[in-house]
């Protein structure tokens, strides 16, 4: 009788075979990338997008917890990458992910992995919380469609502090020499941050700075968590239109379905306003420190207000 490890080994070989065969007739440009910081609402957004028929969610293929193998190629954490920096091995590996060739090495989580649905898949949806700083490279190199979402820094930092998994995020986690060389003001700000909420705010800032620093018009659709919450299906229609897709009939249901990563004690889980939780959790001093860091980084459209001061298509850095 075969044990669990033997069954898994056979399953992995079958997945590898299927992935390689499927990739021969799958264009990576059909993939959709969902880019967002951790605790920024990416799972919820991915649920909405994968309500499209025959779209299969690929869960955090560039995160070290989900896919340890990606660390062999310099991924695993938020990574700043441009066409001048990237090496051929990195490009080849990311292409394997986008074209569905890495299933067996990247299913350390069962979230949204539906093997049988792979037989009829039309497009892969790559949800990535480590890809903001390489989003311009991803779109330019692979021609993928992409949705970039940003959420209020106070809401993100509050969620990270409360979640616990970000306790390990120290200052060194946010050090990106190549990025600091390109944008010296970020390097100077990095030297100044000290408290945990400041470090997390800086981590938020550098990840969102890169996609927002690209001149308009950008080759992806930008949205905000607050707009998606407030405008609902109107904003969803704008996103699907930018992706060249009809709004699926199942999309509306996802607006009322908490993501699998929702924390039980959160406002979303409790049926309360999802935009106000940070005001109830953070002190005034913490809020001021967080906003001071993000404004110094040149991301000034979020203030003490619940929603950004600009529409999603008008967000930009103030350098």
């Amino acid at each position: 009788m075969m044990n669990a490890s033997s069954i898994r080994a056979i399953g992995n070989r079958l997945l590898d075979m299927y992935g390689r065969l499927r990739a021969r007739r799958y264009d990576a440009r059909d993939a959709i990338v969902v880019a967002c910081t951790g605790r920024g609402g990416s799972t919820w957004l991915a649920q909405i997008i994968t309500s499209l028929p025959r779209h299969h969610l690929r869960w955090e293929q560039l995160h070290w917890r989900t896919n340890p193998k990606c660390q062999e190629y310099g991924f695993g954490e938020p990574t700043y990458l441009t066409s001048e920096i990237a090496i051929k091995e990195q490009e080849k590996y990311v292409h394997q992910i986008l074209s569905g060739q890495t299933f067996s090495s990247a299913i350390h989580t069962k979230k949204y992995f539906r093997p049988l649905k792979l037989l009829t898949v039309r497009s892969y949806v790559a949800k990535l919380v480590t890809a903001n700083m390489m989003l311009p490279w991803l779109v330019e190199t692979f021609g993928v469609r992409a949705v970039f979402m940003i959420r209020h820094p106070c809401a993100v930092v509050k969620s990270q502090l409360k979640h616990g998994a970000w306790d390990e995020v120290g200052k060194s986690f946010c050090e990106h020499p190549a990025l600091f060389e390109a944008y010296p003001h970020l390097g100077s700000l990095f030297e100044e941050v000290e408290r945990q909420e400041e470090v997390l705010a800086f981590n938020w800032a550098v990840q969102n700075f890169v996609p927002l620093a690209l001149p308009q018009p950008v080759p992806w659709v930008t949205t905000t968590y607050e707009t998606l919450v407030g405008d609902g299906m109107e904003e969803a229609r704008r996103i699907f239109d930018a992706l060249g897709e009809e709004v699926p009939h199942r999309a509306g249901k996802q607006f009322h379905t908490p993501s699998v990563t929702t924390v039980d004690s959160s406002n979303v889980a409790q049926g309360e306003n999802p935009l106000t939780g940070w005001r109830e959790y953070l002190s005034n001093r913490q809020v001021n420190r967080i906003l001071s860091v993000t404004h110094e980084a040149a991301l000034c459209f979020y203030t003490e207000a619940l929603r950004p001061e600009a529409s999603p298509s008008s967000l930009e850095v103030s350098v």
Side-chain angles (χ1 to χ4, degrees), residues 178-315:
L179 177 65
F180 296 166
E181 182 178 352
Y183 300 99
H185 78 285
L186 296 177
S188 299
L189 180 59
F190 171 78
E191 299 298 331
E192 299 174 4
V193 297
E194 296 179 357
R195 296 177 176 86
Q196 182 66 5
E197 64 264 24
E198 293 174 335
V199 171
L200 293 175
F202 182 80
N203 187 41
W204 177 94
V206 293
Q207 289 189 55
N208 290 303
F209 180 91
V210 174
L212 291 175
L214 199 70
Q216 296 285 346
V218 291
W220 56 76
V221 57
T222 300
T223 188
T224 70
Y225 179 85
E226 295 78 23
T227 304
L228 204 56
V229 168
D231 297 350
M233 285 301 296
E234 181 180 347
E235 180 66 359
R237 291 188 188 94
R238 187 181 74 86
I239 293 171
F240 282 115
D241 182 64
L243 294 174
E245 302 284 353
E246 297 290 333
V247 179
H249 70 276
R250 295 192 301 120
K253 180 181 179 181
Q254 299 303 323
F255 277 91
H256 307 288
T257 305
S259 75
V260 297
T261 57
T262 298
V263 177
D264 291 340
S265 60
S266 68
N267 280 26
V268 172
Q270 298 298 318
E272 301 175 1
N273 188 338
L275 304 186
T276 61
W278 60 269
R279 284 184 172 176
E280 301 157 6
Y281 184 84
L282 298 172
S283 69
N284 289 335
R285 287 185 177 181
Q286 286 177 309
V287 170
N288 289 336
R289 289 170 187 151
I290 291 166
L291 293 177
S292 176
V293 170
T294 58
H295 291 180
E296 285 294 320
L299 286 80
C300 302
F301 43 82
Y302 276 114
T303 63
E304 294 184 7
L306 293 177
R307 297 183 61 159
E309 294 183 339
S311 65
S313 59
S314 302
L315 298 179

Side-chain angles (χ1 to χ4, degrees), residues 168-188:
E168 63 194 33
V169 175
K171 192 169 179 178
S172 61
F173 183 88
C174 311
E175 188 170 10
H176 306 282
L179 177 65
F180 296 166
E181 182 178 352
Y183 300 99
H185 78 285
L186 296 177
S188 299

Side-chain angles (χ1 to χ4, degrees), residues 12-198:
N12 283 345
R13 286 197 292 269
L14 292 174
L15 283 172
D16 284 341
M17 290 173 59
Y18 174 80
R20 288 193 296 268
L21 290 172
R22 180 75 174 83
R24 294 178 183 176
R25 50 190 176 85
Y26 180 79
D27 192 334
R29 291 176 294 182
D30 291 333
I32 298 175
V33 169
V34 175
C36 184
T37 57
R39 309 308 300 171
S42 61
T43 303
W44 181 48
L45 175 59
Q47 285 179 181
I48 295 171
I49 293 175
T50 51
S51 66
L52 285 165
R54 299 169 57 200
H55 280 61
H56 189 279
L57 179 57
R58 306 216 59 200
W59 183 273
E60 299 300 345
Q61 307 290 272
L62 293 177
H63 194 290
W64 68 270
R65 278 200 179 97
T66 307
N67 180 18
K69 187 176 178 61
C70 74
Q71 296 174 99
E72 299 175 14
Y73 299 89
F75 300 110
E77 298 177 351
T79 306
Y80 177 61
L81 204 59
T82 67
S83 56
E84 291 77 22
I85 299 173
I87 59 177
K88 290 183 179 179
E89 288 77 9
Q90 289 175 312
E91 183 175 332
K92 182 179 179 181
Y93 185 69
V94 173
H95 182 269
Q96 290 175 351
I97 288 174
L98 296 175
S99 58
Q101 300 178 56
T102 58
F103 286 112
S104 66
S105 63
I107 55 171
H108 290 260
T109 174
K110 295 180 180 179
K111 292 183 177 72
Y112 290 106
F113 183 63
R114 306 290 184 267
L116 293 180
K117 291 188 177 182
L118 292 176
L119 300 175
T120 60
V121 69
R122 176 166 70 89
S123 295
Y124 297 118
V125 178
K127 184 188 101 68
L128 304 168
V129 297
T130 59
N132 280 16
M133 293 189 292
M134 65 175 82
L135 184 60
W137 173 76
L138 282 172
V139 175
E140 175 188 354
T141 303
F142 304 102
V144 295
R145 294 170 292 169
V147 183
F148 164 60
M149 185 163 76
I150 187 170
R151 185 182 187 183
H152 200 297
C154 291
V156 170
V157 172
K158 168 260 177 182
S159 185
Q160 292 175 345
L161 288 171
K162 196 170 184 179
H163 188 276
W166 276 261
D167 291 347
E168 63 194 33
V169 175
K171 192 169 179 178
S172 61
F173 183 88
C174 311
E175 188 170 10
H176 306 282
L179 177 65
F180 296 166
E181 182 178 352
Y183 300 99
H185 78 285
L186 296 177
S188 299
L189 180 59
F190 171 78
E191 299 298 331
E192 299 174 4
V193 297
E194 296 179 357
R195 296 177 176 86
Q196 182 66 5
E197 64 264 24
E198 293 174 335

